[in-house]
Amino acid sequence: MARHNLRAYLRHIAKTVRPSFWMPEEMLYEIFSWLPPESLIRFKCVCKSWYSLITSIIKNPFFVATHLGKAQNNVFSPESLLIVGHHVVRPGQRINHNIFLLNVSDDGGEKDEIHPVIEELDLRSPWGRGNMRDDKFRRMMGSDLCKTEFYHCDGIICLMARDKIMLWNPALVDSKILPPANNVFNWKKVEATGIGYDPIATDYKILRIWTHDLIEMYSLNTNTWNETSKGPDKVNMLEYKMEVCHKGVCYWFFNGCRKNMVRSVNLHSGQSQIIPLPGRKSCSRTLQVWNDSIAFVSFHRRKGTTGSIEMWVTRNYSGTISDSSLWIKYLSIVNPEGIRRPLRILKGDELLLKGEDESFFFYNLHTRRLRKLIIDEIGGIIFWGSSYVESLVSVNRQGQA
Amino acid sequence: MSSSSTTTTTTRLLMLKASDGVTFEVEEAVATKLGAINNMVEEEGSEDLICLPNVNGKFLGMVLEWCKKHANNNTNSDKGNDEVNKWWDKEFVMDLDQNTLYHLLMAADYLSGTELVDLLTEKVASMIRGKKVEEIRETFKIKSDFLPGQEEEIRKKNSWAFE
């Protein structure tokens, strides 16, 4: 009875003392899941209860995953691509490579030219603030930025220099350098690298595939490297850079084959497969995630023609592809004047293409319209990343130094 | 999908009574967009009159307006309809003042209207996104209860988020 009275009293107090916009914690949780990381971190300062709520939810894997889903739908910010290039400089000026975000949000699509907004991303980099200088980066990573391999996965940027690998989440100003693997890196023997999310283990993994029968896999959850076998096949010459990772499977193209082929590696089981792709041998090509499945875009050219771009899709419930996948030709652009290379498929169903002389185009998959992307300030783009998301995925897991 | 089914599809009507006595007569299919009402209806032998002592008539009316829109379009969920609903939702939350938004959110939460809670919490977030700490305290009528020095310490630790 006494307890009942106390509760009634507390309820009464709460009613009278509560400010008019008092929110239950579950409601704040919902609201917070719609906020970009920067706002969330800043709002820790509002009061003690917000501080403890935010501090705990940004470490809660379920909240982080919900938040990531919203970030991927571009709730907080318009779609932007991660690129690495340098500011256009006058002759004689020093070239500094830099990481940029290219905001490609659609402007209604009436014009034939698109002028994306470009922003520098390195302001929150671990190698120092302000305008990044290559030498600061070199001191930290033992290699130049322009010689570094880049990946992006769920807001984590992965930088692979010769013998150091860094993970960095700019939205959280959070970074770390991975512990060294058992095998010392060797340019001649590491044939491919990659990164991806393993949905079964809810873990991010980094891969190095060696020319001999070895795949090294780093797990962010355990902060350790493991080794698996890549299988008995004898086909080598993978492209160094991973094409895409989707539903826990990573893909690389083979170089020097007479047909288009990829190697897949399952991040969970470590199982690897060689998968033939449709169409004639490409001059340039890419694998992209489109409508939650894998699409293959290829440019090829025969002598005396300007070539053609083909886009192939496959419908698998799993969203992955295998050697028994059926491919359907979705699109064919014959004689695409001046186009050399398919780069990405964006969320708005725009196919990003590279033309001659560092020119770039959007080709809309529905309206079939070609528009030019005007990037005046940035030159020498060495990396086109996937759509960047501001995520709460920390690269430093709890309980790890 | 055959039309041989002869079961008469007379829609059951429910009476919802708000805290201030205002009642609403709504089709079951509309009201059951709200999880709380769905639960009550699913209980066998439930009555047609449902009292909701925690929701004011004004906000209950708004919640039901939203339900009506989303229940109607539920049957044929093609992409075009999705777009129409999105547009309607946008209009629905566009000019809500803070007070209405707050009470509507509380009502939606009490009635377990999950999708509506999503819509409203996103709206609240869009209003506070990018704001300064002081503005947030003003908006939510919150007083800082940090001990002297504590707030400065948090700011210092995360200075990048305060630029």
Side-chain angles (χ1 to χ4, degrees), chain A residues 19-24 26-28 30-32 34-39 41-51 70 75-76 124 129 170-173, chain B residues 98-99 102 105-106 109 117-118 121-122 124-125 128-133 136-137 139-147 150-151 154-155 158 160-163:
Chain A
S20 51
F21 292 110
W22 179 84
M23 291 261 182
E26 307 89 70
M27 202 56 67
L28 280 178
E30 293 294 328
I31 295 170
F32 288 167
W34 295 102
L35 290 175
E38 185 184 310
S39 295
I41 303 295
R42 187 168 59 245
F43 294 169
K44 278 183 177 179
C45 260
V46 169
C47 62
K48 276 184 182 171
S49 64
W50 280 41
Y51 176 81
K70 290 173 180 173
V75 171
F76 323 131
R124 294 172 187 174
R129 309 186 42 139
L172 287 178
V173 195
Chain B
Q98 199 177 306
N99 192 46
Y102 174 76
L105 183 53
M106 289 301 146
D109 181 46
V117 168
D118 263 358
T121 48
E122 184 182 6
V124 176
I128 64 175
R129 202 174 286 158
K131 283 210 170 150
K132 287 186 185 141
V133 171
I136 297 300
R137 286 187 191 137
T139 307
F140 288 91
K141 310 261 190 293
I142 295 170
K143 271 198 183 133
S144 168
D145 51 358
F146 288 112
L147 296 173
Q150 274 182 334
E151 187 182 335
I154 305 167
R155 276 183 193 258
N158 305 287
W160 54 272
F162 291 88
E163 283 155 6

Side-chain angles (χ1 to χ4, degrees), chain A residues 25-95:
Chain A
E25 211 163 76
E26 307 89 70
M27 202 56 67
L28 280 178
Y29 180 100
E30 293 294 328
I31 295 170
F32 288 167
S33 73
W34 295 102
L35 290 175
E38 185 184 310
S39 295
L40 265 180
I41 303 295
R42 187 168 59 245
F43 294 169
K44 278 183 177 179
C45 260
V46 169
C47 62
K48 276 184 182 171
S49 64
W50 280 41
Y51 176 81
S52 51
L53 179 62
I54 295 172
T55 308
S56 85
I57 57 177
I58 60 173
K59 290 188 187 120
N60 173 345
F62 188 75
F63 181 83
V64 172
T66 310
H67 184 271
L68 177 65
K70 290 173 180 173
Q72 281 165 339
N73 284 322
N74 298 103
V75 171
F76 323 131
S77 50
E79 182 168 17
S80 34
L81 293 176
L82 206 65
I83 59 170
V84 179
H86 57 75
H87 281 291
V88 172
V89 292
R90 283 190 296 274
Q93 264 183 318
R94 202 191 130 113
I95 287 176

